[in-house]
Amino acid sequence: MDVISTSGLTKYYGKARGVEDLTMAVPQGAVYGFLGPNGAGKTTTIRCLLGMLKPTAGSSSVLGERVTLDGAALRRRIGYVAGEVRLYEKETGRWHLDYVAGFRGTKGPLTAELLERFDLDPSRRVKELSKGNKQKLALILGMAHDPELLILDEPTSGLDPLNQEAVYSVIEERVAAGRTVFLSSHVLSEVERVCDKVGIIRSGRLVAEEGVKSLLGKRLREVEVTFADPVEASLLGELPGVDSVVAVSDQSLAARVRGDAIDGVLKRIASRKVSDIRIQHASLEDVFLEFYRGDDATHANDEGGEVR
Amino acid sequence: MSWTLLRGTLHQNRVSIFWFSFGLVLYSWMMTWFYPEIGGNEYAELVETMPAEVLAIFGGTEVSFASLGGYFQTEYLGLMWMVIVASALIIYSAKAFAGEIAEGTMEFVLSQPVSRARLAITRIAVMVGYSLALAAASFVPIMVFGPKYDIDLPWDTFWTLFAFGLLFMLAVGGFTLMLSAIFRGAGKPGAIAAGVLVVLWIADLVSNFSEAAELFDPTNIVSYWQPGKIINGDPVDAAAWWLYGGVALVSAVAAVVVFRRRDAA
């Protein structure tokens, strides 16, 4: 059963595009990463799924129910954490927890546990909280009632690594308990850590949908190496999976290396005497640009995923 | 209606509700206290030395200044009272939908299991409660403190004043709520509602001197607000009840209908 499914979902704000002709499905028990750079349409899609925005065209269903603007019963089964946390500044965390409990008719069964795990003092007013602590409060408010579906819009934004890890652990535990998570992000490491499948959105359109393993295979690395002696760019340029080799100086080369090609590149570099080396992962946006620039045609990828 | 939302909305507006109500209680008590000193014929002689245009600004052309109603209308319940209660209700109503959408807190509320219709009706209920509090704060002190200062307002006059004042506030609040359901950000609905009231007030003012401005009178909620006449025992025009009630009801229904259909994030 698909927990989320959309068909031709389109949202325009006047003439401005939010999301266009989005068709996707999220199976039960999955952690679905919804990836894309800022402004790609991730938040618009989520707000359409929650019935906060009225689609210009298309439809969507969540947990087997068609999404409408007045779907209060459906939202009882969903937990949502907004990308940009906006709470009542003058009220305390405890007030917010009680407020949500009032709407849901019961205090969230996970409230005490989450407060302890995120180490949050709920007695402070929201305006006194740091960005990270506001994010923690929003996460607790969204997850405390143990929803069937968790929709998280960039959930670890502003959190330190320890709390990021706590979020990932909670997500994994919820999924192990049969819940489904829909997570928007532009952080590759986050996607690697928790997601099973990813949908990549660019300029309002879903350009790819595939497994995380496949996406990682396509990951780019930027390699900059300084040799003890002068070298030609062809040293790396002739290797498969190596793009755009640039001779920074007589002894230094910079190259972009795709996925598994890194092994061959390192072996070739090791054949010479090396003075210095720097390897860094390209941003997820670079991955998008590298693999999906101008590619509007639909074709199957190597893991059975689909690139549109 | 959602009781959780009702309690929450009242809690978030508790400071403004308290201070506007407290201020009106003090103002009403002060005006009641001053009446023996500056009311009556001496006050009328003093006031009537003013130019007619100045008197019109404070609503002083419809009732005798020597009367109790003339005193209250000119000094308090005419222009000043309208400014105070309209400010309170416009601030609340403009924020109720449009302000919360722009601030992002509407997204938090709508992620909870509450329907838009219930949310809208609850926000209207809070506006009604706020208006009741302001009406009580305005008129009850006159009844409570009045006997100490030679003011004996009959109960039927009090209830007419209370009900008509309440309906005036519901018309202003309802109209602003409707605008709030249309726009994004509290600024526009607040400015439009305030602007409409100012235009109606100017039309009322000009109609004292020019027949051309009387064109607005049948639909001018400012022109119909004549608390001095009520205090003096005159009946309220049936058209005034219908106008206030109609504006309040139609605006409130429109606010619910529009909010249920609009983008709310």
Side-chain angles (χ1 to χ4, degrees):
Chain A
M1 175 195 157
D2 290 330
V3 170
I4 296 175
S5 68
T6 66
S7 174
L9 186 67
T10 301
K11 175 64 185 175
Y12 271 80
Y13 303 97
K15 289 184 177 177
R17 181 270 309 150
V19 62
E20 193 159 17
D21 195 25
L22 181 73
T23 299
M24 66 173 185
V26 178
Q28 186 171 14
V31 183
Y32 188 97
F34 196 49
L35 309 180
N38 294 330
K42 301 188 297 291
T43 299
T44 297
T45 303
I46 287 172
R47 287 172 173 172
C48 286
L49 291 175
L50 288 163
M52 290 173 189
L53 298 180
K54 188 179 177 183
T56 309
S59 63
S60 52
S61 73
V62 173
L63 293 163
E65 290 184 40
R66 187 182 169 86
V67 175
T68 64
L69 292 182
D70 236 354
L74 180 57
R75 289 197 297 268
R76 187 174 293 282
R77 302 163 67 191
I78 300 174
Y80 171 55
V81 179
E84 205 171 325
V85 176
R86 300 285 181 83
L87 300 168
Y88 293 101
E89 294 284 314
K90 292 177 185 170
E91 310 300 345
T92 64
R94 177 64 64 195
W95 183 89
H96 281 87
L97 290 165
D98 292 341
Y99 195 45
V100 169
F103 283 119
R104 297 191 177 275
T106 176
K107 193 177 175 184
L110 302 176
T111 304
E113 179 195 332
L114 290 172
L115 282 170
E116 190 177 333
R117 286 175 77 165
F118 287 122
D119 189 26
L120 181 73
D121 174 9
S123 65
R124 295 175 65 193
R125 289 176 188 232
V126 169
K127 66 180 177 185
E128 295 165 357
L129 298 177
S130 65
K131 185 175 184 292
N133 280 334
K134 281 182 190 171
Q135 186 70 22
K136 288 185 205 173
L137 178 58
L139 283 161
I140 295 167
L141 291 168
M143 299 198 288
H145 58 285
D146 192 17
E148 292 173 56
L149 170 65
L150 256 177
I151 297 180
L152 308 173
D153 193 356
E154 302 186 5
T156 57
S157 168
L159 293 184
D160 59 54
L162 278 176
N163 282 301
Q164 285 181 13
E165 193 56 39
V167 173
Y168 302 147
S169 298
V170 172
I171 289 173
E172 284 164 351
E173 288 164 20
R174 295 298 93 213
V175 172
R179 309 310 190 206
T180 305
V181 178
F182 183 84
L183 180 151
S184 97
S185 180
H186 57 251
V187 182
L188 186 56
S189 58
E190 187 166 281
V191 174
E192 283 180 54
R193 175 73 170 74
V194 292
C195 295
D196 310 316
K197 191 176 181 183
V198 294
I200 298 171
I201 188 170
R202 177 165 61 88
S203 300
R205 286 178 175 273
L206 192 72
V207 292
E209 194 175 49
E210 56 190 303
V212 168
K213 196 175 170 188
S214 168
L215 182 71
L216 293 177
K218 291 175 176 174
R219 185 167 60 183
L220 286 178
R221 291 177 183 83
E222 290 172 352
V223 178
E224 193 170 331
V225 57
T226 303
F227 296 94
D229 304 305
V231 291
E232 297 292 324
S234 59
L235 176 72
L236 299 180
E238 63 190 24
L239 293 172
V242 176
D243 300 330
S244 64
V245 180
V246 175
V248 180
S249 68
D250 286 351
Q251 294 166 262
S252 297
L253 299 177
R256 305 189 88 183
V257 182
R258 288 175 184 236
D260 295 341
I262 190 70
D263 183 59
V265 169
L266 289 176
K267 284 174 179 161
R268 178 62 63 87
I269 289 170
S271 68
R272 303 289 181 93
K273 188 176 181 185
V274 177
S275 299
D276 194 11
I277 188 166
R278 184 173 64 87
I279 302 174
Q280 71 176 38
H281 292 150
S283 68
L284 194 58
E285 196 166 340
D286 288 336
V287 177
F288 299 156
L289 293 172
E290 184 63 26
F291 289 97
Y292 306 117
R293 181 183 290 148
D295 183 4
D296 289 331
T298 300
H299 61 85
N301 72 10
D302 55 352
E303 279 207 349
E306 204 169 49
V307 179
R308 295 181 181 86
Chain B
M1 189 160 68
S2 162
W3 291 107
T4 299
L5 189 63
L6 183 79
R7 284 196 302 271
T9 308
L10 285 170
H11 186 79
Q12 285 146 23
N13 290 280
R14 63 194 182 280
V15 175
S16 55
I17 292 173
F18 172 78
W19 283 113
F20 271 108
S21 302
F22 185 65
L24 282 171
V25 168
L26 282 184
Y27 204 160
S28 295
W29 171 65
M30 199 170 69
M31 286 296 105
T32 307
W33 179 26
F34 288 171
Y35 176 67
E37 303 298 321
I38 60 174
N41 288 326
E42 287 178 17
Y43 170 71
E45 287 168 16
L46 175 71
V47 170
E48 281 165 0
T49 60
M50 294 179 186
E53 292 83 353
V54 174
L55 290 176
I57 290 173
F58 296 96
T61 55
E62 297 281 343
V63 286
S64 166
F65 307 116
S67 67
L68 179 66
Y71 165 78
F72 268 105
Q73 175 149 338
T74 312
E75 291 293 333
Y76 173 34
L77 294 176
L79 178 64
M80 290 308 293
W81 183 83
M82 279 195 289
V83 169
I84 294 167
V85 299
S87 301
L89 291 164
I90 287 173
I91 290 169
Y92 164 76
S93 302
K95 191 181 171 188
F97 301 120
E100 287 222 22
I101 288 170
E103 288 171 11
T105 46
M106 186 61 79
E107 189 172 12
F108 168 64
V109 175
L110 281 181
S111 68
Q112 308 307 323
V114 58
S115 73
R116 290 186 181 213
R118 287 180 77 192
L119 192 155
I121 290 167
T122 306
R123 291 278 152 91
I124 291 167
V126 172
M127 188 273 287
V128 173
Y130 198 170
S131 300
L132 275 167
L134 295 179
S138 304
F139 307 124
V140 169
I142 298 173
M143 293 300 286
V144 171
F145 300 117
K148 287 185 180 176
Y149 306 105
D150 303 329
I151 297 172
D152 281 311
L153 213 56
W155 277 104
D156 60 340
T157 300
F158 164 78
W159 284 117
T160 304
L161 191 61
F162 188 97
F164 196 56
L166 176 65
L167 215 49
F168 172 82
M169 289 188 275
L170 295 183
V172 173
F175 180 67
T176 314
L177 276 174
M178 181 185 70
L179 295 172
S180 185
I182 295 170
F183 292 103
R184 181 185 174 86
K188 271 188 190 171
I192 292 171
V196 166
L197 282 176
V198 169
V199 167
L200 292 178
W201 175 69
I202 290 171
D204 178 52
L205 202 62
V206 175
S207 70
N208 288 305
F209 314 105
S210 164
E211 289 185 1
E214 289 177 3
L215 186 68
F216 286 97
D217 279 359
T219 54
N220 192 335
I221 62 169
V222 174
S223 295
Y224 280 118
W225 177 242
Q226 297 294 338
K229 284 185 173 178
I230 298 171
I231 291 172
N232 286 345
D234 294 340
V236 178
D237 281 350
W241 290 105
W242 281 109
L243 177 65
Y244 283 11
V247 171
L249 187 65
V250 170
S251 301
V253 170
V256 176
V257 171
V258 172
F259 183 68
R260 286 189 68 194
R261 294 162 181 264
R262 69 165 294 175
D263 286 345

